[in-house]
Amino acid sequence: MRRITRIATVGIASAALALSATACGKSSNDSGSSSDSKATKAAIAYDIGGRGDQSFNDAAYAGLKKAEDELDVKGAEAEPSSGEGDADKVQRLTSLARAGNNPVIGVGFAYAPAIKKVAAQFPDTTFGIIDDTSVTGKNIANLVFNEEQGSYLAGVAAAKASKSGTVGFIGGVEVPLIKKFEAGYVQGVKDTNPKAKVLTQYLTQPPNFDGFAKPDLGKAAAQGQLDKGADVIYAAAGLAGSGAIEAASKAGKWAIGVDSDQYNQAGLAAYKDSILTSVTKDVSDSVFNLIKSVKDGKPQTGEVRYGLATDGVGLADSNPKYKEMTDLIAAVNKAKQDIIDGKITVKTAP
């Protein structure tokens, strides 16, 4: 897999970039063989935190890796730089498209302005964008999820697992996407235990997106909620969420992961026993499916939505302790079916 890493002139605080540096394949200076130039190529451009975030970006990488293994696709990756703007994203996507990658996938809503511009310049290339429907085009696939549905199930689980009656939610950056996570979670908690208290905190406000990248911010926020009596904390904060998981684990309380099954993430192995469950988004399959559609000559375009009914979102059950909580599991399963049957409509905003 070909990997392009852009290093900012200022220091990069993200631990994910440090982790990913040890796993780099070819650099951007590698020319590749002549056979590579004729192969089917696909590329992903990572969101804040980069590969190694144990969450969102890693899920996208898993989809690209699956495509390499199963579809004989040559994969390329491109990392973000600290404090970058839209012009940097335009340059990154342009370079990936010019290199013959098809599709080119932007991981995260922050790529919307760049994809709008670059997709128009490369009409024969399919561009995918995860978590955004604001930009559309004949060669753009919008890969989106019902995060509020999975988060509702997390709220049910949190309310059932809590002994104190106080649980926490930590959002990385206060944007509409993350408020969907909050809305579903709070509704699930309150529908399960109307007397429960939900502590909510966002780490940063846009245009500051450090709340997706700095574990120390998540750790501090989680510690504050723990000090107020929370015994279950759900963080939708990318790499920063790992700090919240660490804090909950060290306090002997429950954490709920996000995007990937964080119980199985190697970088979080020290805290896995405290990860009750994770709200999963099938980002991996969304990336794989888009790549396959292009390779098959029938590229996906427009909105491609993944929800609870198709297991596009859900709750992980990898932790054996979770599987032992029969009452909790029964409540989660009932809530899942009620959502699928339309008996419960989950809010998308607090």
Side-chain angles (χ1 to χ4, degrees):
M1 184 177 292
R2 183 167 177 264
R3 194 141 190 226
I4 304 168
T5 303
R6 301 184 70 248
I7 305 298
T9 55
V10 296
I12 297 179
S14 170
L17 295 182
L19 286 169
S20 65
T22 64
C24 287
K26 297 179 182 178
S27 73
S28 58
N29 294 322
D30 292 329
S31 59
S33 66
S34 58
S35 62
D36 282 349
S37 64
K38 298 177 182 179
T40 300
K41 300 178 180 179
I44 54 178
Y46 290 119
D47 199 5
I48 297 164
R51 173 140 71 92
D53 67 351
Q54 315 295 326
S55 184
F56 185 53
N57 289 297
D58 282 0
Y61 167 72
L64 181 63
K65 183 65 168 60
K66 181 181 178 182
E68 285 193 315
D69 294 342
E70 298 184 13
L71 304 177
D72 194 27
V73 166
K74 299 293 182 182
E77 308 164 74
E79 293 280 5
S81 58
S82 179
E84 70 179 23
D86 288 340
D88 299 288
K89 292 180 175 65
V90 167
Q91 182 182 21
R92 183 176 305 122
L93 296 177
T94 299
S95 296
L96 292 172
R98 282 179 177 166
N101 293 291
N102 186 20
V104 174
I105 303 171
V107 184
F109 62 83
Y111 277 96
I115 282 183
K116 181 178 181 180
K117 183 173 183 179
V118 180
Q121 298 172 356
F122 294 89
D124 295 327
T125 299
T126 295
F127 289 82
I129 181 166
I130 300 173
D131 286 345
D132 181 85
T133 58
S134 69
V135 293
T136 58
K138 293 182 179 180
N139 60 331
I140 298 175
N142 306 92
L143 311 177
V144 291
F145 303 83
N146 292 117
E147 295 91 352
E148 72 283 358
Q149 294 179 347
S151 295
Y152 183 98
L153 301 186
V156 174
K160 297 294 286 186
S162 177
K163 295 179 180 179
S164 69
T166 299
V167 301
F169 173 81
I170 297 172
V173 183
E174 192 167 4
V175 293
L177 173 66
I178 306 303
K179 292 184 84 66
K180 287 175 66 181
F181 288 87
E182 177 195 353
Y185 180 68
V186 173
Q187 185 180 349
V189 171
K190 292 293 188 179
D191 283 356
T192 306
N193 178 9
K195 296 181 180 180
K197 183 177 182 180
V198 184
L199 306 176
T200 298
Q201 182 174 345
Y202 285 87
L203 302 180
T204 61
Q205 299 290 324
N208 180 357
F209 286 87
D210 285 349
F212 290 138
K214 295 186 175 181
D216 286 351
L217 295 178
K219 184 176 181 180
Q223 190 58 58
Q225 293 184 343
L226 292 164
D227 291 344
K228 294 178 181 178
D231 58 357
V232 184
I233 295 178
Y234 172 38
L239 180 63
S242 65
I245 291 172
E246 178 186 353
S249 177
K250 290 184 175 179
K253 306 301 181 183
W254 288 118
I256 295 178
V258 76
D259 292 337
S260 298
D261 183 355
Q262 295 195 293
Y263 179 87
N264 288 323
Q265 293 295 318
L268 296 171
Y271 316 118
K272 64 187 296 183
D273 288 344
S274 296
I275 301 174
L276 175 65
T277 181
S278 296
V279 176
T280 57
K281 292 170 56 173
D282 205 354
V283 173
S284 174
D285 268 5
S286 75
V287 169
F288 176 84
N289 291 342
L290 179 58
I291 295 171
K292 186 177 187 302
S293 75
V294 174
K295 184 176 175 65
D296 291 345
K298 299 178 181 179
Q300 293 176 333
T301 59
E303 182 177 305
V304 183
R305 181 167 292 278
Y306 292 83
L308 199 58
T310 58
D311 292 325
V313 298
L315 279 191
D317 63 356
S318 298
N319 192 332
K321 295 178 182 177
Y322 176 89
K323 294 177 182 178
E324 294 172 0
M325 300 179 182
T326 54
D327 288 348
L328 182 154
I329 291 174
V332 167
N333 288 342
K334 183 180 185 304
K336 177 180 178 179
Q337 195 59 51
D338 284 348
I339 293 170
I340 293 172
D341 292 344
K343 295 178 181 178
I344 296 175
T345 300
V346 186
K347 299 175 182 178
T348 57

